[in-house]
Amino acid sequence: MLIFALKVLQMINSVRNTVLSVLNKNNYGYISPSDFNLFAKQAQLDIFEDYFYQYNYQINKENARQSGTGYADITKGYSEVIDSFSVTEDLTYIATNTFSVPTEATTGSDYYLINKVLFNNGTSLKEMEQVSHSKITMLLNSLYTAPSLTFPAFTIEDSTLTAYPDTINSATEVKCQYIRYPKDPKWTYLSLTGGEPAFDSTASDYQDFELPLDNEPDLIMKILQYAGMSIREIAAVNFAQATENKDDADQK
Amino acid sequence: MAYITQYKYYENEGISPKDENWGSYQYVSLADVVNNFMLMYAGNHSLVNNEERFKVLFHAKRGIQELNYDAFKEIKILQLNVDDNLRFVLPSDYVNWVRVSVYENGVLRPLTENIQTNWSSAYLQDNNNDILFDLKGNALEPENSNLDLDRIRGSKRSIYLNQNSSFNGLEGYCCDGNWYFDYSIGARFGLNTETANINPTFVINKQAGVINFSSGMSNRSCVLEYVSDGMEGGEATKINLNKMFEDYIYAYIEYAILNSKLGVQEYVVGRARKRKQALLRNAKIRLSNIHPGRLLMNMRGQNKWIK
C-alpha cells in the first residue's frame, strides 16, 4: 500500500463499480448498496489502522538505515495521510480540572489517538503529559516531578480527561490535537434505473472514502474479501487475499 | 524562552521589580532544558525513546542539584543576628555551609568550626540516674542539656586569647561578652588549638537545623555563606542553570536515562558517561575563568615572602 496520491472525488463509486465487476460472475455477484457500505466501512477502518503499523514499521527501517530520503521517504507519506485526519480543538470543560475527551458531541469527531494535549496559560501553550493511572498518584506526591503549570499532566478515564495541577480549571485552557476516525463511507443513490441504483453524490448523507487514491486497490481487495464471503464465493476471497498479500510484500 | 528586548532587560518594561531580568542571559531555564531535550535528544531516531517527560524532568533537576553543590560556585549569603540562645537558624534552602563569619564594625571575621560538640540532647533523670518517662512511654526531655546551658550561660570554660592582656592564654568564662577567670593556681597543660581563637566558635546541628555558637556571640551579626540545591522552593519557573553547563545537563540526562534503561548496550552507556564527564570538566574549567590576566595577578606575588 502506497499513499502519495491525493484524494479524488467520488472514489467510492469507482471502488464499487470495480468490486461489482469482479464479483459479477454469471450475474449472481451483486451486492446491495447497504451491504457495500458496511463492507466499505470495515475496509476503510482496516486500512486506516494499518497506517499506524506501517508508519512504525518504516520508523524501524529508518533506524536500521534501510530507508532513504526525498522520494524514498516512505514515512513522510504515511505521516501525511495520518495528518489528514488530525484535528485540534478546545476540550469541553466538565467540572473541577476535568474535561471531556474528543467525542462526536463535543469536538465533532471521536478520537482514534490523542497525540497531544495543550495547556494554554494565557501567554503560551504548554504540552501536557499523559500519565498512566499506575503512576499518577506517585507523581502527585513527588517533590521533584509533581505536575505544575510549567510541566502539566493529565490522565484519561472513560470519556473524562483530568488535568493536573488541579488549578487548570477554565473552559479555554485545554485543547487537544488528535487523530479522528475516518467518516463512514456511504455510497448513495437516487433511484433505480433499469433495475440498477443510480449513483448520487449530491445526497446529504453521501460520504466518500477519506483515504488517498492509491488506497483504491486495497479498498477493492478488502471489500472483495467481505463480499466474496457474503456470497460464499471463495475464489473471490482467495484472489483478493493473494493480491493484498502480494502488494504488502512488494512494499516491504 | 524568547529573547527579551533591552528595555525589558534593564527596566523590566517599567514593571516592578526592575531588576527582574538583570543577568538572566547567563542562565537557561529548567523548562527550556526539558523542552530542548525532548525535542533534540528524544524520539524515534534517538538513543532515548519512549521515555516519559517526568523522567527527563527528574534527571534535569537532579543534575542541577548536583551542579549547585560545587560546580556552579553560586554561594548564597544570609546575614542574621544570633539570638540569646546562641543559635542561628539555618536558611530554608540550606544544604551545606561554606563559611560562617561575624560582622562587626565593618569587618567580616571568619569563624572557626569547633569539631568538639557544644550541644547535646538530654533526658530527665532522677536521683538514681534512671530516665523519666511520660504516660506514653517516651523519655522526658529538658529544654536544654547541661552542655547547652553552660554554653548559653557562659559557664563553659574556654581559653582567652588577647596578646595585650595579662590573662592571655588562660582558661576563663565568657559571659555576655565579659571574661571571668579563676585564680590561676598550678599549671595548665596543653592548648586546644582548634578553639584557641579570639572569635567565637560554632558547631552546626544539622538535625535541629541550627548553628550553635560559643558564648560571646549573642546578639552579634552573623553572616552565613552557604550552598543550596537550586530548586528555588519548588518553583519550576525560577529554576535555571548557567549556560556553560547546558550541554552537560543534556549529556547528564541522556546518560542517566540510558544507564537505567533495560537492554542498552554497555558501550552506549559508557560513551554517554564519558561524554557527560568530559563536558562537566570543560564547563568547570570555563567557569573558573582562568585567563592570562588573572594568572598575571597571581604571578605578581611570586617574590613575596611567606611569613
Side-chain angles (χ1 to χ4, degrees):
Chain A
M1 162 181 37
L2 267 180
I3 23 62
F4 300 110
L6 294 170
K7 292 173 191 170
V8 290
L9 292 173
Q10 301 177 3
M11 184 165 77
I12 193 167
N13 196 38
S14 167
V15 169
R16 184 174 181 274
N17 289 340
T18 311
V19 168
L20 288 180
S21 169
V22 174
L23 280 180
N24 199 14
K25 177 186 155 197
N26 301 330
N27 284 332
Y28 65 76
Y30 179 77
I31 54 172
S32 67
S34 61
D35 280 354
F36 174 79
N37 288 336
L38 287 174
F39 302 152
K41 177 185 173 184
Q42 292 305 316
Q44 182 171 245
L45 279 175
D46 265 3
I47 295 168
F48 171 75
E49 194 169 29
D50 197 45
Y51 268 103
F52 296 87
Y53 290 100
Q54 289 298 325
Y55 181 81
N56 187 51
Y57 176 77
Q58 284 302 325
I59 293 290
N60 289 336
K61 285 193 83 169
E62 284 180 7
N63 284 335
R65 303 192 68 81
Q66 292 175 349
S67 184
T69 56
Y71 294 127
D73 193 349
I74 310 295
T75 317
K76 181 167 172 278
Y78 286 125
S79 64
E80 278 175 5
V81 175
I82 293 171
D83 284 346
S84 70
F85 294 95
S86 170
V87 178
T88 303
E89 286 286 344
D90 282 341
L91 293 185
T92 305
Y93 178 67
I94 302 174
T96 316
N97 75 314
T98 55
F99 299 80
S100 169
V101 296
T103 61
E104 190 87 35
T106 56
T107 57
S109 50
D110 289 333
Y111 74 90
Y112 172 78
L113 179 146
I114 289 181
N115 191 40
K116 63 181 179 185
V117 176
L118 300 166
F119 162 58
N120 185 356
N121 66 5
T123 54
S124 62
L125 292 173
K126 303 280 182 192
E127 190 160 340
M128 301 174 74
E129 181 179 27
Q130 182 161 15
V131 179
S132 69
H133 287 279
S134 60
K135 293 276 186 188
I136 188 64
T137 312
M138 288 183 282
L139 196 70
L140 290 171
N141 289 323
S142 164
L143 190 63
Y144 293 146
T145 57
S148 63
L149 294 180
T150 312
F151 301 105
F154 70 92
T155 57
I156 290 179
E157 188 164 26
D158 193 13
S159 59
T160 302
L161 181 147
T162 307
Y164 298 98
D166 56 13
T167 48
I168 299 176
N169 251 327
S170 167
T172 55
E173 278 185 333
V174 178
K175 64 169 59 187
C176 177
Q177 185 259 320
Y178 64 97
I179 305 299
R180 65 171 173 80
Y181 278 104
K183 293 171 186 165
D184 294 348
K186 188 158 191 181
W187 187 88
T188 48
Y189 60 96
L190 193 57
S191 59
L192 295 177
T193 307
E196 282 289 317
F199 177 56
D200 176 21
S201 63
T202 60
S204 60
D205 56 346
Y206 165 73
Q207 179 60 54
D208 201 357
F209 288 113
E210 292 195 286
L211 296 172
L213 175 61
D214 47 294
N215 280 129
E216 184 170 332
D218 306 299
L219 286 165
I220 292 167
M221 292 307 148
K222 285 209 177 288
I223 295 170
L224 263 179
Q225 289 176 50
Y226 290 120
M229 277 307 296
S230 173
I231 61 171
R232 300 295 185 268
E233 183 59 58
I234 198 66
V237 177
N238 289 340
F239 164 69
Q241 270 180 347
T243 310
E244 197 180 7
N245 291 342
K246 185 176 180 303
D247 280 355
D248 286 347
D250 288 347
Q251 289 164 20
K252 296 294 182 191
Chain B
M1 190 172 286
Y3 290 102
I4 58 176
T5 63
Q6 291 197 309
Y7 178 52
K8 186 167 177 64
Y9 177 80
Y10 286 108
E11 302 288 336
N12 198 21
E13 294 179 334
I15 300 165
S16 182
K18 184 181 167 184
D19 60 359
E20 175 84 3
N21 300 306
W22 292 358
S24 60
Y25 201 68
Q26 301 166 82
Y27 301 100
V28 56
S29 71
L30 173 69
D32 277 342
V33 167
V34 174
N35 196 48
N36 290 342
F37 186 88
M38 295 301 289
L39 201 58
M40 298 299 169
Y41 294 90
N44 285 332
H45 305 303
S46 303
L47 285 174
V48 175
N49 194 15
N50 296 332
E51 285 294 345
E52 291 98 341
R53 186 180 64 188
F54 64 74
K55 282 191 182 176
V56 173
L57 176 62
F58 172 79
H59 291 304
K61 283 189 172 181
R62 283 292 303 117
I64 290 173
Q65 282 181 319
E66 291 295 328
L67 290 172
N68 267 278
Y69 298 149
D70 52 9
F72 277 167
K73 297 177 182 171
E74 299 213 356
I75 308 297
K76 291 192 166 191
I77 305 170
L78 179 67
Q79 180 181 8
L80 285 177
N81 278 1
V82 176
D83 65 15
D84 289 337
N85 285 328
L86 301 172
R87 284 182 320 199
F88 181 106
V89 180
L90 296 174
S92 58
D93 55 350
Y94 170 90
V95 173
N96 201 4
W97 66 282
V98 177
R99 188 161 47 191
V100 180
S101 310
V102 60
Y103 183 67
E104 250 170 8
N105 304 322
V107 179
L108 205 58
R109 302 165 195 262
L111 301 182
T112 311
E113 186 187 22
N114 187 349
I115 62 165
Q116 295 177 333
T117 188
N118 65 2
W119 60 273
S120 167
S121 55
Y123 299 133
L124 291 179
Q125 293 170 290
D126 63 14
N127 291 336
N128 298 321
N129 291 331
D130 289 329
I131 295 173
L132 303 176
F133 298 93
D134 64 11
L135 291 174
K136 293 179 181 172
N138 298 318
L140 294 170
E141 292 183 20
E143 187 180 351
N144 292 303
S145 66
N146 287 335
L147 197 60
D148 281 313
L149 277 177
D150 282 350
R151 180 174 55 81
I152 294 165
R153 288 174 182 162
S155 52
K156 188 172 184 296
R157 293 205 302 180
S158 55
I159 293 166
Y160 179 67
L161 290 177
N162 185 348
Q163 289 180 336
N164 299 322
S165 168
S166 57
F167 294 100
N168 182 36
L170 292 180
E171 285 191 342
Y173 305 90
C174 179
C175 186
D176 296 332
N178 298 315
W179 281 84
Y180 302 90
F181 299 93
D182 292 326
Y183 288 109
S184 51
I185 301 170
R188 183 173 58 76
F189 297 97
L191 175 69
N192 187 353
T193 53
E194 289 164 3
T195 56
N197 193 299
I198 194 168
N199 294 315
T201 56
F202 68 91
V203 177
I204 296 180
N205 182 352
K206 292 174 189 162
Q207 290 87 7
V210 294
I211 304 173
N212 288 311
F213 288 96
S214 61
S215 56
M217 192 62 190
S218 176
N219 292 317
R220 291 168 78 181
S221 180
C222 173
V223 175
L224 170 66
E225 293 162 75
Y226 67 101
V227 287
S228 184
D229 64 354
M231 290 296 103
E232 305 298 330
E235 182 61 59
T237 53
K238 291 183 179 171
I239 299 172
N240 53 32
L241 81 158
N242 194 291
K243 280 179 178 168
M244 302 279 187
F245 290 89
E246 188 174 354
D247 236 13
Y248 164 75
I249 201 75
Y250 298 138
Y252 173 84
I253 298 167
E254 188 175 58
Y255 164 72
I257 290 174
L258 292 174
N259 191 41
S260 59
K261 197 166 180 149
L262 189 70
V264 180
Q265 298 93 328
E266 188 53 36
Y267 73 90
V268 173
V269 178
R271 193 172 71 201
R273 184 175 57 242
K274 282 179 187 170
R275 180 166 170 264
K276 165 190 81 103
Q277 293 297 89
L279 286 167
L280 180 62
R281 281 193 293 272
N282 281 353
K284 278 184 173 177
I285 291 168
R286 278 181 183 171
L287 203 70
S288 64
N289 266 340
I290 298 172
H291 51 78
R294 185 173 272 197
L295 286 173
L296 182 66
M297 296 303 286
N298 294 335
M299 297 295 279
R300 278 179 176 161
Q302 65 182 328
N303 295 326
K304 196 173 176 183
W305 283 25
I306 299 170
K307 294 178 181 175

